[in-house]
Amino acid sequence: MIKLNKTFKIKKSKIRVGRGIGSGKGKTSGRGVKGQKSRSGVAIKSFEGGQMPLYRRLPKRGFNTLNKNKIAILNLDKIQFFINKKSIGTKEIINSELLKKLKLINKRYTKLKILGSGEIKDKVNIETDLASKSAIEKLEKIGGSIQIKK
C-alpha cells in the first residue's frame, strides 16, 4: 500500500512476510523450500555457487604501492669493494647506467642512492639521484666529487 505523507513523498509500507496465504508471502515467506538459504541467520558472503569467487580471481595487491620509486642503495664500502675488485675504475664516473651495464645493480631500479656506511680510500666521481650527508662528507674529505641529479 502506498501512502502520501505531508511533504508528498511516496512511502512504501514494509512487506510483512509469513502472514498467511492471502498476503502472497505466506508459508515459506518467499524463501523457497528447505536448504541453507531458507534458514534464518544464514548469509553466504562471496559464495558464487561453486564458481571461483571474485576475491580469488583478482590478483593480490595488499599494501604494495604500485607507483613506488625503485631506488638502488649503494654504500661507500661497497663502491670501494668494487674498485678493489677492479670492477669499477677510479677514473670513470660512477652512475646508475654504468652499474647496470656492469650488472652490479639490478636493471629494475630507476634511481640510485649513495649511503655513507663504511670507508672509501680512492678518489672517485659519482653521479647519483640521492645521497646521504655522511656520504657527501666522506667523498669530499678524500677529494672525490658527487653530483646529484635533479
Side-chain angles (χ1 to χ4, degrees), residues 11 14 23 46 51 54-55 59 68 70 75 78 84 101 107 114 119 127 129 132 137 139 147 150:
K11 190 175 178 184
K14 189 178 162 220
S23 69
S46 74
Q51 174 178 298
L54 183 69
Y55 71 92
K68 189 166 109 180
K70 306 264 191 302
N75 279 307
K78 199 77 170 169
N84 293 345
K101 194 175 83 181
K107 64 183 176 192
I114 305 295
E119 289 299 316
E127 191 181 283
D129 297 292
S132 68
E137 285 171 18
L139 276 166
Q147 277 186 305
K150 291 287 184 236

Side-chain angles (χ1 to χ4, degrees), residues 81-141:
F81 172 76
F82 290 137
I83 291 167
N84 293 345
K85 225 172 84 171
K86 306 253 188 302
S87 299
I88 303 172
T90 53
K91 299 281 185 268
E92 51 195 347
I93 296 167
I94 299 164
N95 55 20
S96 57
E97 288 79 40
L98 174 78
L99 294 168
K100 283 177 191 176
K101 194 175 83 181
L102 297 171
K103 294 189 173 146
L104 300 177
I105 62 168
N106 200 312
K107 64 183 176 192
R108 71 162 187 243
Y109 293 119
T110 53
K111 291 183 177 182
L112 176 67
K113 184 170 185 173
I114 305 295
L115 299 179
S117 176
E119 289 299 316
I120 190 158
K121 296 168 190 76
D122 297 293
K123 212 170 23 169
V124 287
N125 297 325
I126 299 172
E127 191 181 283
T128 183
D129 297 292
L130 306 155
S132 68
K133 286 178 186 174
S134 60
I136 295 166
E137 285 171 18
K138 286 179 182 180
L139 276 166
E140 287 173 349
K141 193 171 141 187

Side-chain angles (χ1 to χ4, degrees), residues 69-80:
N69 286 328
K70 306 264 191 302
I71 301 171
I73 292 169
L74 205 61
N75 279 307
L76 290 177
D77 59 350
K78 199 77 170 169
I79 294 169
Q80 186 62 52

